[in-house]
Amino acid sequence: MSGAITCSATDLSALLGPNATAAASYICDQLGTANNKFTDVTYAIDNTYLLFSAYLVFAMQLGFAMLCAGSVRAKNTMNIMLTNVLDAAAGGLFYYLFGYAFAFGESSDGFIGRHNFGLRDFPTLTADYSFFLYQWAFAIAAAGITSGSIAERTKFVAYLIYSSFLTGFVYPVVSHWFWSPDGWASPFRTTDRLFGTGAIDFAGSGVVHMVGGIAGLWGALIEGPRIGRFGEGGGAIALRGHSASLVVLGTFLLWFGWYGFNPGSFTKILIPYSSGSNYGQWSGIGRTAVTTTLSGCTAALTTLFGKRLLSGHWNVTDVCNGLLGGFAAITAGCSVVEPWAAIVCGFVASLVLIGCNKLAELLKYDDPLEAAQLHGGCGAWGLIFVGLFASKKYVNEVYGASPGRHYGLFMGGGGKLLGAQLVQILVIVGWVSATMGTLFFILKKLKLLRISEQDEMKGMDIARHGGFAYNDDESVHFSRVNHVSPVPRSPNPPAV
């Protein structure tokens, strides 16, 4: 622990009278015990902070579930909710068996970890169980992003396969590259850092959001658009989600969880930046929460007025997506930029999202939740943003001052950090395309990817899951029109 108490019996005995040596030894023993207690308390507080952050990030799964449910049509609600549950469940097992070892196990080549499979020989000197739980919550977030892109038309078995592969292999390899001290592009390396600095992606604009977004991009491209999404003339037809209320609820839950996602990525809180000062890592955590908030708020307002000019409407769903785009963008640099820079980040993120959505319509690309545009596009901008606006002071505080450590181009730090950020974008796009693109292509060839046209028209809830999410008049009417027999309610429900 920094500032640990030290005591020497030899030094003390010269200051004491009779029985000096015994008295000095006793005093030093007591001080040593007190020092150990302080160290234990420090570890306990840091682990409690990390566990609380892990709980917040895990709560984002509920946010994803609500957002996804509200963004799809009512006939597919049960399906998308089930996929969100299984992202967490399947991801938990596969990250435990393989993912954590690939991500944070020691490696000799900087490409992939090779130790701690199934948490063997764990905890280590540098990681405890709270760290595993936190990283698992991140891994399943990436899988949740992808599920939104391929919603309303994907076979259930395909969800199981891609989610397990993504959380157990694809995502962990990327997180090893940029977050493990052994990763070839990690800023935590002590020597041979990429361009002398390493790529800075503090909480995962690239590692989490781009990975999930690019995976979803390939899934949606290979599957093709939903039936009815584009007319015969090629024009886009809105297939609106059934509940703006669920979209807003999911957005607020994600916003709340992001305070564990970004500030929690410090993993420790009791680290002073200077002796005898009230300024320490706790200050950096507070600043990170502020930059996260400012970016999201700016993106939401920019999207509100931008979409009003383009469509003539004040659309709550667009504003929610804009807000999340601002969060996805600031995630990479939340700890190393000034609050004013976060406003710039959110403003540009909104423009990136609007532009990506326009491009998607032109290319007849169909993503029910705009996940690839939001997480992939805004995540890429977030990495570039770090290369432009990272502060020297904050980079040195978070990653340690060392020779050759670079910072943002616009902050006077030269272009090497920006170069490292661009390399990160390229390798993530390449890696995820090679792995997830290939997987989705194989699933399509094996006829395991997309449901039949008949099932898609009926809706996946009644076709694949035995009933509707809602027992209301609208669902009954839909059943009659489509000659589907709804699942009857039990006349005598079991007692709870």
Side-chain angles (χ1 to χ4, degrees):
M1 183 180 75
S2 178
I5 302 171
T6 60
C7 181
S8 168
T10 302
D11 294 338
L12 277 177
S13 61
L15 303 175
L16 302 173
N19 300 319
T21 300
S25 296
Y26 174 78
I27 293 173
C28 285
D29 288 343
Q30 295 303 308
L31 289 175
T33 300
N35 182 64
N36 290 337
K37 290 292 185 181
F38 281 123
T39 302
D40 293 343
V41 169
T42 298
Y43 287 138
I45 292 175
D46 285 339
N47 272 275
T48 301
Y49 172 74
L50 186 56
L51 277 173
F52 179 72
S53 298
Y55 303 152
L56 286 177
V57 177
F58 178 69
M60 294 176 77
Q61 289 299 118
L62 178 57
F64 278 125
M66 296 297 100
L67 181 69
C68 289
S71 299
V72 301
R73 290 164 290 179
K75 62 182 181 179
N76 297 308
T77 305
M78 286 179 64
N79 173 262
I80 197 66
M81 296 282 277
L82 182 57
T83 62
N84 276 272
V85 173
L86 289 175
D87 282 338
L93 287 177
F94 279 85
Y95 198 73
Y96 162 76
L97 292 172
F98 310 108
Y100 182 84
F102 289 149
F104 294 100
E106 293 181 8
S107 69
S108 57
D109 54 11
F111 179 79
I112 189 170
R114 301 176 181 176
H115 299 86
N116 305 124
F117 290 98
L119 294 187
R120 185 177 180 182
D121 301 323
F122 196 83
T124 67
L125 293 176
T126 57
D128 208 332
Y129 290 106
S130 55
F131 184 74
F132 165 81
L133 192 74
Y134 188 68
Q135 296 302 331
W136 159 72
F138 269 61
I140 60 176
I145 292 167
T146 305
S147 67
S149 294
I150 57 178
E152 299 201 287
R153 60 206 190 273
T154 306
K155 287 186 176 181
F156 189 65
V157 66
Y159 280 113
L160 288 174
I161 294 171
Y162 98 76
S163 181
S164 301
F165 185 58
L166 183 65
T167 54
F169 180 65
V170 178
Y171 165 83
V173 170
V174 177
S175 56
H176 185 81
W177 293 349
F178 302 104
W179 286 348
S180 170
D182 300 324
W184 63 269
S186 172
F188 298 105
R189 290 179 69 96
T190 55
T191 59
D192 299 325
R193 291 191 296 265
L194 179 64
F195 297 152
T197 188
I200 292 179
D201 186 8
F202 182 71
S205 289
V207 173
V208 178
H209 295 283
M210 275 194 70
V211 167
I214 299 300
L217 172 68
W218 280 107
L221 281 174
I222 291 172
E223 273 193 310
R226 292 166 292 173
I227 296 172
R229 179 65 176 91
F230 297 98
E232 293 182 2
I237 300 172
L239 300 179
R240 298 191 181 279
H242 78 282
S243 176
S245 300
L246 288 178
V247 170
V248 173
L249 174 61
T251 299
F252 272 112
L253 287 168
L254 288 169
W255 188 342
F256 180 65
W258 234 292
Y259 292 125
F261 205 95
N262 286 3
S265 290
F266 279 91
T267 71
K268 296 179 180 180
I269 190 171
L270 284 184
I271 298 179
Y273 289 151
S274 60
S275 179
S277 169
N278 62 355
Y279 181 71
Q281 193 135 292
W282 50 88
S283 306
I285 288 170
R287 184 184 65 251
T288 297
V290 170
T291 57
T292 300
T293 303
L294 291 176
S295 180
C297 292
T298 304
L301 292 174
T302 305
T303 305
L304 174 69
F305 291 105
K307 295 294 286 188
R308 175 74 168 95
L309 292 174
L310 293 172
S311 66
H313 302 289
W314 306 101
N315 191 306
V316 66
T317 302
D318 290 335
V319 172
C320 288
N321 283 339
L323 177 83
L324 299 177
F327 288 152
I330 195 62
T331 295
C334 53
S335 65
V336 295
V337 299
E338 296 283 359
W340 63 263
I343 296 175
V344 177
C345 179
F347 178 78
V348 177
S350 173
L351 302 182
V352 169
L353 179 59
I354 293 172
C356 286
N357 284 331
K358 285 295 182 183
L359 181 62
E361 286 189 8
L362 291 175
L363 298 177
K364 296 182 176 57
Y365 169 79
D366 181 25
D367 186 328
L369 274 90
E370 302 177 6
Q373 301 95 298
L374 193 161
H375 298 277
C378 295
W381 155 241
L383 293 176
I384 295 172
F385 166 75
V386 175
L388 300 175
F389 289 96
S391 161
K392 179 180 180 179
K393 175 185 177 183
Y394 299 146
V395 168
N396 288 335
E397 286 176 355
V398 175
Y399 293 98
S402 63
R405 182 78 75 185
H406 298 277
Y407 48 102
L409 176 64
F410 291 168
M411 308 301 286
K416 289 190 175 182
L417 177 58
L418 178 60
Q421 303 302 102
L422 294 175
V423 168
Q424 180 174 359
I425 293 173
L426 292 175
V427 297
I428 288 177
V429 171
W431 170 253
V432 178
S433 298
T435 52
M436 295 302 296
T438 301
L439 176 65
F440 283 123
F441 180 77
I442 292 173
L443 290 174
K444 181 178 181 180
K445 288 298 182 181
L446 295 176
K447 301 186 185 304
L448 295 174
L449 185 59
R450 184 158 185 161
I451 61 175
S452 68
E453 182 176 335
Q454 181 183 12
D455 286 351
E456 187 173 345
M457 293 300 292
K458 288 180 181 178
M460 297 184 70
D461 288 2
I462 195 66
R464 299 298 177 107
H465 301 290
F468 292 104
Y470 306 103
N471 288 317
D472 56 17
D473 293 338
E474 181 182 350
S475 297
V476 174
H477 173 71
F478 178 87
S479 302
R480 290 171 179 167
V481 169
N482 290 274
H483 308 290
V484 176
S485 297
V487 177
R489 297 182 184 179
S490 172
N492 297 305
V496 176

